[in-house]
Amino acid sequence: MISAFFIFNQKGEVLISRLYRTDLKRSIADVFRIQVVSNSDVRSPIITLGSTSFFHVRVNNLYIVAVTKCNANAALVFEFCYRFTSIAKSYFGKVDEESVKNNFVLIYELIDEIVDFGYPQNSEIDTLKSYITTESVMSTSIAPEESSKITTQATGAISWRRGDVKYKKNEAFVDVVETVNLSMSAKGTILRADVDGHIQMRAYLSGTPECKFGLNDKLVIDKNDRTGASDAVELDDCRFHQCVRLNEFDASRTISFVPPDGEFELMRYRATTNVKLPLRVVATVNEIGTTKVSYDITVKANFGNKLSATNVVVRIPTPLNTTNVDCKVASGKAKYVPAENVVIWKIPRIQGGQECTFTAMAELTSTTTRQVWTRPPIDVDFQVLMFTASGLIVRFLKVFEKSNYHSIKWVRYLTKASGTYQIRY
Amino acid sequence: MSTQAGQDAKFFQRGKIQEFRAELQAAEVKDKKFVKRRTVLKKIVANITMGNDMSPLFPDVVQCLGTPLLEIKKMVYLFLVSYGKSKPDQIHMVIPRFLEDCNDRNPLIRALAIRTMSYIPIPVVTEALTEQLRHCLKDRDPYVRKTAAICVAKVYTADPRKAEKAGFVEMLRDLLLDPNATVVSNAVAALTEIGDRPDGVFFKLNLSIANKLLAAIGESSEWGQIYILDSLLRFVPERHADAELLAERVLIQLSHANSAVVLTAIKILLYLMNYMENRKLIDHICKKMGPPLVTLLSSGPEVQYVALRNILLIIQRRPAVLRNDVKVFFCKYNDPIYVKLAKLEIMYRLAREENAKEVLAELQEYASEVDVDFVRKAVRSIGRLAIKVDPAADLCIKALLDLIETNVTYVVQEAVIVIKDIFRRYPGRYEGIIPTLCEHLDALDEPEAKAAMIWIVGQYADRMDNADELMDDLVYTFLEEPVEVQLALLTASVKLFIYRSKSEKAKELVHRVLKWATEEVDNPDLRDRGFMYWRLLAINPTVAGEIVLAEKPAITTDSDRMDRGALDQLLLHTGTLGSIYHKNPETFIRNAAGRALTDTPALNANSRAVLVPLTRNQLPPTVSIPGPGPNEPRARKAEPPLPAKPAPPLPTNGADDADAGGEDGENDEEGILSPPVAAQGDSAADPYAGLDQLGGLGGSGYSADNPRPKGEEEDLLF
């Protein structure tokens, strides 16, 4: 298991260093600095030297590093690094050099709690916050009864929730967020179109609420028990938060759970059939001789006219030896960014059914050795509210609590792409 | 969200021992709310972090333990964890404090005390801890018990025999039946750790305990679920039914959000399938495993990488799992390079006639990207695709020729290397492109590419008018070339001579080369080969021709796959480092425990046929304790690794195909697609054999793609 945990800044300085086992010395940090931080060509998130393996994840300007001396469970180690990052985010808002330095004592306290002898322990944020705080706690003043409550919770079946949560107004917000992955060939055929969805929930509910969650009536979750309905929403796979009872889902397909307090990711899913692509992009790019490239790009919003796509950013690559690009757009703004070799075309809003066009001519300097332009794909980022590319809909969210209070539920849908919607030309 | 902005960054400054000592002393008076002490301690912790030795402050820092502030206590404990081991003469000062805390009314404090003590593995502390630990393992608070369980693993690491004598291992075993799931999972983790040690006890599960552990999974934390799932490898099914029932219960965990839970569950399923006969159930499980594996690809890039390397293994053993999913492995432009390289390998594996066109189109796309390694691998994959899928070969050759036209040197070189093998795979089909290749002769500067081209020139010298001129140019630098190229030149000039024994030019050329090879070169291989050719030619040129130009064994891609038995063994490490490097952990990690399937009546015939028994360097000592649980038969005590059973006779290479349609019928892709005769072909002649394995024959530039542990024998000494 994990023998040591480090956080490095970009310069390779150690911000956090904790050894969990005696099979390593702190000087192992120098090895990581030499092998990874000062190496400009790191080609793997895992580096093994002898029996020692370094696992690293980059977050902002930091390296989150776990070191092992055994045949460690690599997935577990990385999941732990991710979890540490999300805990830190929840505690200090952001994870960067400044926030780590500002909270290093607290971080030591946290990593002593969430890892023991290299074995990750309970890492539920809500529970941690009930006993690891920045406030000064007098060790004598903690009532043992209070602690017992914490320990029962930290080790209990519902370790993610305190029992004593109270809200004046009981509310639950559900956000269905879908990221569309598209890869379209130069000929316009779809090489790959699928949806990574997740359902984010913010639960502000008192007591220990029992929730039941319902999706589309015609929902096929396992292709093996497909019923044949063509309009059904098909999910290839779904994964649930720790709180969802997997055996109940397996037996009756009901999603039932006691939610953590506050924000959490209830479910993650994937869909590959009947994916509705919100934007259609048609691109014609021609290299005219060796001195010019012409662009003709159309983006069409492929959904009802009551909805609209916002924050649309189209990144159009240009050859490395471009000197100038002359762009013409009817909507939005287009700008050539020489440093990144792209034209960035920003359209604040596209109404459903609307079509936007972009034409441009890039001028190139003549080079003696003409290198072939690799033609990286055009990338489109966007957001469409109240739309799901998979067709997934939340039918109901029921909340049962013994005090029988009334609760208000809100559901939002968002379909987006960021760096995942790619068109070749 | 409670954003509590800390303001501790200012303490990140190097300080002197003297100053800190003075500050600590000053804090002993007039320290309202202990603000001063807290500040100094924070400075000290920051300095520990930066690597400054703060150990001289030991007595001063320990003084602070009297402060009733929890934060201060934790900082002092952190100090003790860092330096306690190096101060065996002073540590006794703290022991009374520790003991006090071990008996605190607050369970969090009790747990903190034993946790900290167990991090300081020196006899004084361990002795004091032993007594406390015995109570804590039976504490009424589950938090203390779960902490105590891990403490046992630490104490065991420090002194195995002492821990055994104290009876801790039995106590851990009892905790497996604890009513609290967190305690159970930590006890499992601790026992696994102890069981994996070369000098540890033998940890094995029986059916009833395995079932009890599975029941605890529902209430465990996600990490606890991983520990429990992992331990199921220690249950050896004696009946098919046991494996089947267990598998059905494990299957549910595939929907968990944590990728490590999913991968560990998959490991157990793959393991249990070796003990099943029911085809339907095996198919069902394979089908169920596919989607969660694909979903792992929407995790962070690091987890994606782990998943991809494992998928590569899984689809070799269970091709049914992701048979129709090649598209999800297409690379995204902005995937990190390690993800792209891993995806490429899987794309090739999943390629067959139905999808070859799509795969080829993708590979062509990648061949124009910027990363040299990736481009090379893409080009090489196009060639491998041509060799693997006959109907796609035409298109692949066309693609390769297009790539050669780009004139990018490393692309051309890669293309030449694979084309050589395509020639061998399809004799008489593509030799028409040789002139095109010859145009790019000058671009070749890497040994492997150059050797490949020289091979082509020699082999087909009879249909190239200018072969003698080309060879004449090529041998010009003979003495400066690397051995690989020299060998190729030697053979090629002999071939040229055999084709044109009448030509004076060829005669002069071969003479020149033979003279160099036997007189001027130090390499014994080259010299010996030179002598061999020379004598052959001298004794009987006709026979020499028959020998040198003998028909070559056909190239296939069958041996591309790892040996089934080795795969079975490697898959027992799914999700771990071993599965990333495709190496058994005991071969690259010191003291790592190897694993092998245990032969029982339930082991299915297919798995038994290829069973690779475990060769353990060191057996567990006889002071072992039988597996936990009431029903464990005592006879299992310290079981030898495996009776060295003579392997059942079987046609080694053809085993896969022989029973492909049989009971296990793994839907062996190759077995179905290619006629069995071809499949039996000479795999030893396949240059791609072991391409995915470490240190494979992949050639110099290529092996850079394969992740592998660095450093062979010795460990880092720190």
Side-chain angles (χ1 to χ4, degrees):
Chain A
M1 271 303 130
I2 301 170
S3 286
F5 178 81
F6 295 102
I7 300 180
F8 291 84
N9 68 8
Q10 219 163 4
K11 283 185 261 170
E13 290 165 347
V14 179
L15 305 182
I16 294 290
S17 136
R18 173 72 210 248
L19 305 181
Y20 291 107
R21 292 181 174 231
T22 45
D23 51 9
L24 284 179
K25 294 212 176 81
R26 189 193 173 281
S27 52
I28 199 80
D30 301 330
V31 179
F32 180 79
R33 175 167 44 239
I34 294 160
Q35 292 287 336
V36 178
V37 183
S38 28
N39 183 348
S40 59
D41 189 28
V42 178
R43 301 179 77 87
S44 170
I46 307 175
I47 287 174
T48 300
L49 301 161
S51 303
T52 311
S53 300
F54 299 86
F55 297 72
H56 74 272
V57 172
R58 297 207 62 173
V59 181
N60 295 325
N61 48 10
L62 301 176
Y63 293 86
I64 314 287
V65 184
V67 191
T68 69
K69 296 268 294 186
C70 61
N71 183 34
N73 183 331
L76 174 140
V77 175
F78 284 129
E79 284 285 348
F80 171 74
C81 293
Y82 295 164
R83 178 61 49 85
F84 169 81
T85 311
S86 67
I87 293 173
K89 214 175 261 165
S90 164
Y91 262 91
F92 339 118
K94 58 183 174 159
V95 186
D96 57 12
E97 180 169 356
E98 194 195 348
S99 69
V100 168
K101 275 186 165 175
N102 271 328
N103 297 285
F104 72 96
V105 177
L106 183 61
I107 291 178
Y108 275 121
E109 228 180 288
L110 279 169
I111 58 174
D112 188 45
E113 184 61 39
I114 60 176
V115 182
D116 194 1
F117 201 44
Y119 290 98
Q121 301 289 305
N122 174 44
S123 52
E124 296 295 341
I125 294 166
D126 201 41
T127 313
L128 287 173
K129 281 187 174 170
S130 67
Y131 64 108
I132 296 189
T133 59
T134 44
E135 293 150 35
S136 313
V137 181
M138 304 295 270
S139 49
T140 46
S141 68
I142 326 166
E145 302 73 46
E146 183 61 29
S147 297
S148 291
K149 233 190 239 168
I150 293 169
T151 57
T152 319
Q153 197 206 326
T155 59
I158 313 177
S159 59
W160 53 85
R161 189 180 177 90
R162 277 178 283 180
D164 55 353
V165 182
K166 273 205 180 69
Y167 287 100
K168 234 184 225 164
K169 200 165 147 195
N170 288 291
E171 285 180 298
F173 299 86
V174 177
D175 282 328
V176 179
V177 183
E178 297 196 339
T179 304
V180 191
N181 295 305
L182 171 74
S183 171
M184 198 188 269
S185 79
K187 294 189 188 99
T189 47
I190 290 165
L191 299 171
R192 147 167 208 209
D194 52 63
V195 170
D196 280 330
H198 63 111
I199 299 183
Q200 201 72 21
M201 192 166 163
R202 277 170 296 150
Y204 305 116
L205 301 166
S206 313
T208 308
E210 179 65 46
C211 298
K212 263 200 170 47
F213 197 74
L215 300 169
N216 308 42
D217 296 335
K218 282 184 192 164
L219 185 73
V220 184
I221 290 185
D222 191 339
K223 282 193 176 167
N224 300 328
D225 41 57
R226 191 193 311 245
T227 47
S230 60
D231 55 339
V233 171
E234 264 182 45
L235 302 187
D236 286 31
D237 182 39
C238 31
R239 288 159 64 176
F240 297 100
H241 184 269
Q242 169 80 8
C243 68
V244 175
R245 296 184 190 95
L246 297 180
N247 44 2
E248 257 175 68
F249 176 75
D250 189 58
S252 62
R253 289 277 174 258
T254 47
I255 303 170
S256 63
F257 55 97
V258 176
D261 188 37
E263 187 167 358
F264 68 102
E265 186 182 279
L266 175 66
M267 157 180 185
R268 202 166 250 286
Y269 58 91
R270 202 161 46 76
T272 51
T273 26
N274 303 330
V275 174
K276 288 176 274 181
L277 296 173
L279 295 182
R280 279 209 75 84
V281 183
V282 183
T284 318
V285 180
N286 287 316
E287 290 170 64
I288 307 168
T290 54
T291 54
K292 278 181 182 166
V293 179
S294 74
Y295 294 87
D296 200 340
I297 296 165
T298 314
V299 178
K300 190 180 179 200
N302 206 10
F303 43 79
N305 54 13
K306 281 191 185 132
L307 305 178
S308 58
T310 53
N311 301 328
V312 182
V313 180
V314 188
R315 294 170 63 88
I316 305 151
T318 55
L320 301 181
N321 55 337
T322 305
T323 47
N324 187 36
V325 187
D326 181 29
C327 316
K328 289 192 182 67
V329 287
S331 33
K333 275 180 193 157
K335 199 176 151 200
Y336 171 51
V337 186
E340 296 172 49
N341 294 307
V342 286
V343 174
I344 294 182
W345 175 25
K346 286 186 181 169
I347 315 162
R349 174 181 293 269
I350 308 178
Q351 209 66 36
Q354 197 190 335
E355 208 175 272
C356 302
T357 53
F358 167 97
T359 51
M361 185 67 80
E363 305 209 4
L364 318 178
T365 53
S366 50
T367 49
T368 44
T369 49
R370 203 177 92 81
Q371 261 230 326
V372 188
W373 179 33
T374 61
R375 296 172 80 114
I378 293 173
D379 179 87
V380 189
D381 292 356
F382 59 83
Q383 297 189 333
V384 186
L385 268 176
M386 302 318 280
F387 176 87
T388 52
S390 67
L392 186 106
I393 289 171
V394 177
R395 284 273 177 248
F396 61 83
L397 170 62
K398 289 179 189 154
V399 179
F400 308 94
E401 217 278 334
K402 55 178 185 286
S403 64
N404 231 343
Y405 54 72
H406 177 71
S407 55
I408 311 164
K409 298 108 185 174
W410 309 86
V411 183
R412 272 195 311 187
Y413 301 92
L414 174 70
T415 291
K416 61 170 186 170
S418 58
T420 54
Y421 211 77
Q422 299 185 334
I423 294 102
R424 299 175 186 163
Y425 45 87
Chain B
M1 189 157 40
S2 68
T3 312
Q4 301 145 321
Q7 295 295 331
D8 293 347
K10 55 179 178 284
F11 301 121
F12 256 85
Q13 274 174 15
R14 289 188 173 259
K16 291 210 181 73
I17 301 283
Q18 295 308 326
E19 290 169 24
F20 291 147
R21 181 168 292 145
E23 283 180 49
L24 274 176
Q25 276 158 7
E28 275 168 31
V29 284
K30 280 197 195 165
D31 192 6
K32 222 176 164 191
K33 288 189 181 164
F34 313 104
V35 177
K36 283 190 204 162
R37 259 182 258 205
R38 230 167 69 196
T39 309
V40 194
L41 281 171
K42 280 184 179 177
K43 285 184 192 168
I44 294 173
V45 172
N47 273 274
I48 298 176
T49 304
M50 289 187 282
N52 290 351
D53 184 16
M54 291 284 115
S55 62
L57 289 169
F58 196 91
D60 311 80
V61 170
V62 165
Q63 287 300 314
C64 298
L65 264 184
T67 324
L69 203 63
L70 194 57
E71 196 185 356
I72 289 189
K73 187 193 286 290
K74 286 188 177 173
M75 282 195 275
V76 177
Y77 277 2
L78 185 67
F79 184 92
L80 291 176
V81 171
S82 307
Y83 298 119
K85 214 174 69 165
S86 62
K87 297 280 171 194
D89 48 327
Q90 295 176 17
I91 198 82
H92 61 88
M93 297 194 278
V94 224
I95 299 228
R97 289 281 176 194
F98 273 141
L99 295 182
E100 215 170 88
D101 281 357
C102 284
N103 295 298
D104 199 283
R105 283 173 60 217
N106 184 335
L108 286 169
I109 302 287
R110 290 202 294 277
L112 180 65
I114 55 167
R115 191 165 70 213
T116 310
M117 285 174 85
S118 55
Y119 274 126
I120 311 170
I122 47 175
V124 200
V125 184
T126 317
E127 238 149 68
L129 176 65
T130 306
E131 198 43 44
Q132 301 301 324
L133 195 52
R134 207 166 282 141
H135 298 304
C136 289
L137 282 164
K138 292 182 176 150
D139 200 288
R140 63 186 137 67
D141 193 289
Y143 186 87
V144 180
R145 291 201 301 277
K146 75 116 189 170
T147 310
I150 297 285
C151 284
V152 172
K154 295 189 228 178
V155 172
Y156 196 95
T157 307
D159 190 341
R161 302 291 90 85
K162 216 175 214 171
E164 280 165 11
K165 232 188 243 158
F168 285 145
V169 181
E170 286 86 350
M171 291 178 83
L172 263 189
R173 193 184 63 190
D174 294 343
L175 285 187
L176 290 183
L177 302 171
D178 197 277
N180 185 294
T182 307
V183 178
V184 173
S185 59
N186 270 6
V188 167
L191 276 170
T192 306
E193 163 113 20
I194 293 171
D196 272 344
R197 290 175 60 95
D199 60 348
V201 298
F202 198 71
F203 176 36
K204 198 162 172 289
L205 299 177
N206 61 24
L207 185 62
S208 84
I209 297 288
N211 273 319
K212 283 198 174 103
L213 290 181
L214 263 175
I217 269 193
E219 293 190 351
S220 307
S221 76
E222 52 204 298
W223 314 113
Q225 299 192 3
I226 299 167
Y227 309 146
I228 290 179
L229 283 171
D230 203 46
S231 73
L232 294 179
L233 279 184
R234 292 163 191 275
F235 166 71
V236 181
E238 298 280 343
R239 292 174 306 175
H240 297 315
D242 296 346
E244 289 166 9
L245 272 171
L246 218 55
E248 274 178 48
R249 297 181 68 184
V250 171
L251 218 44
I252 302 172
Q253 298 307 121
L254 292 180
S255 307
H256 200 283
N258 187 314
S259 66
V261 175
V262 176
L263 271 175
T264 312
I266 284 177
K267 165 163 70 182
I268 299 306
L269 291 171
L270 288 166
Y271 163 69
L272 291 174
M273 277 195 273
N274 289 307
Y275 294 93
M276 288 181 198
E277 283 289 358
N278 184 344
R279 287 287 315 153
K280 251 193 178 154
L281 186 62
I282 292 179
D283 285 346
H284 175 70
I285 294 172
C286 283
K287 252 184 213 139
K288 285 271 186 186
M289 281 193 310
L293 278 172
V294 176
T295 303
L296 294 180
L297 300 184
S298 48
S299 315
E302 294 84 9
V303 166
Q304 283 185 49
Y305 176 64
V306 176
L308 288 165
R309 293 295 295 170
N310 278 286
I311 288 171
L312 190 51
L313 286 179
I314 295 169
I315 57 176
Q316 290 180 67
R317 179 66 178 88
R318 304 277 171 191
V321 172
L322 290 164
R323 210 176 159 69
N324 299 315
D325 288 298
V326 71
K327 275 189 184 182
V328 296
F329 298 104
F330 288 179
C331 301
K332 295 181 192 164
Y333 192 73
N334 31 9
D335 277 337
I337 184 65
Y338 51 84
V339 168
K340 281 185 178 175
L341 290 173
K343 280 185 176 174
L344 205 54
E345 195 63 42
I346 295 174
M347 283 170 60
Y348 162 71
R349 295 255 169 225
L350 293 177
R352 50 202 160 106
E353 192 177 342
E354 294 89 319
N355 58 26
K357 242 185 170 166
E358 282 173 284
V359 172
L360 177 63
E362 281 295 304
L363 292 174
Q364 278 180 284
E365 197 72 34
Y366 307 156
S368 66
E369 285 196 18
V370 267
D371 190 286
V372 176
D373 260 5
F374 182 57
V375 171
R376 278 172 171 274
K377 204 168 181 185
V379 176
R380 198 170 277 224
S381 299
I382 295 176
R384 294 168 76 193
L385 186 64
I387 292 169
K388 181 177 177 183
V389 185
D390 188 338
D394 281 356
L395 284 174
C396 292
I397 281 283
K398 196 180 160 295
L400 287 171
L401 286 176
D402 287 349
L403 286 168
I404 288 178
E405 285 311 310
T406 61
N407 266 330
V408 180
T409 51
Y410 52 84
V411 172
V412 175
Q413 318 217 42
E414 255 341 294
V416 168
I417 295 169
V418 288
I419 285 175
K420 175 196 127 186
D421 292 321
I422 297 176
F423 283 168
R424 280 190 61 188
R425 170 79 168 83
Y426 306 109
R429 231 203 261 179
Y430 298 112
E431 284 81 356
I433 65 167
I434 292 177
T436 321
L437 298 184
C438 291
E439 286 167 26
H440 295 270
L441 209 62
D442 297 337
L444 310 177
D445 53 9
E446 289 168 18
E448 201 187 354
K450 217 166 173 176
M453 190 64 214
I454 293 166
W455 183 88
I456 293 173
V457 173
Q459 185 67 23
Y460 302 102
D462 55 333
R463 35 185 111 188
M464 295 161 70
D465 298 334
N466 60 341
D468 44 0
E469 285 163 41
L470 286 175
M471 281 306 297
D472 200 47
D473 281 352
L474 286 166
V475 298
Y476 188 69
T477 49
F478 184 87
L479 290 172
E480 287 96 69
E481 297 289 357
V483 180
E484 194 180 354
V485 178
Q486 287 176 328
L487 284 169
L489 281 170
L490 176 62
T491 306
S493 30
V494 172
K495 283 179 186 167
L496 178 73
F497 173 71
I498 287 167
Y499 282 128
R500 305 187 184 181
S501 45
K502 303 252 155 49
S503 151
E504 268 312 306
K505 212 169 176 184
K507 200 171 176 179
E508 185 273 326
L509 184 93
V510 75
H511 192 254
R512 195 164 13 130
V513 174
L514 283 172
K515 227 171 140 53
W516 274 331
T518 51
E519 287 171 16
E520 311 243 340
V521 179
D522 291 332
N523 186 293
D525 286 346
L526 190 62
R527 216 170 45 218
D528 284 359
R529 199 187 285 191
F531 279 128
M532 183 196 72
Y533 280 137
W534 207 327
R535 281 168 198 159
L536 260 180
L537 292 172
I539 295 167
N540 188 341
T542 328
V543 176
E546 278 165 27
I547 293 172
V548 176
L549 294 172
E551 201 171 315
K552 312 237 167 343
I555 281 188
T556 63
T557 49
D558 295 323
S559 57
D560 237 6
R561 277 176 309 159
M562 222 178 268
D563 171 68
R564 171 78 66 87
L567 259 178
D568 276 340
Q569 206 173 70
L570 205 44
L571 283 172
L572 298 176
H573 301 286
T574 302
T576 67
L577 280 172
S579 73
I580 287 170
Y581 298 123
H582 295 184
K583 265 190 140 185
N584 281 321
E586 67 272 24
T587 62
F588 69 102
I589 293 173
R590 190 193 288 161
N591 289 336
R595 281 181 183 152
L597 291 171
T598 308
D599 196 358
T600 72
L603 190 67
N604 68 39
N606 267 356
S607 300
R608 185 176 295 127
V610 294
L611 186 68
V612 182
L614 189 63
T615 42
R616 246 199 177 179
N617 308 332
Q618 218 183 336
L619 291 174
T622 35
V623 262
S624 65
I625 287 166
N631 302 331
E632 182 65 24
R634 296 266 148 175
R636 288 251 166 237
K637 207 178 227 178
E639 196 179 49
L642 259 183
K645 213 178 163 183
L650 72 148
T652 32
N653 201 23
D656 291 3
D657 309 276
D659 45 36
E663 60 280 68
D664 197 13
E666 308 292 354
N667 299 339
D668 233 309
E669 220 165 284
E670 254 67 38
I672 292 165
L673 288 178
S674 53
V677 191
Q680 304 281 357
D682 182 358
S683 53
D686 181 2
Y688 296 118
L691 203 56
D692 312 308
Q693 289 149 48
L694 294 162
L697 313 169
S700 49
Y702 187 63
S703 58
D705 302 341
N706 281 322
R708 63 165 167 265
K710 296 174 196 167
E712 301 284 74
E713 292 283 298
E714 255 327 286
D715 208 348
L716 293 173
L717 301 167
F718 292 99

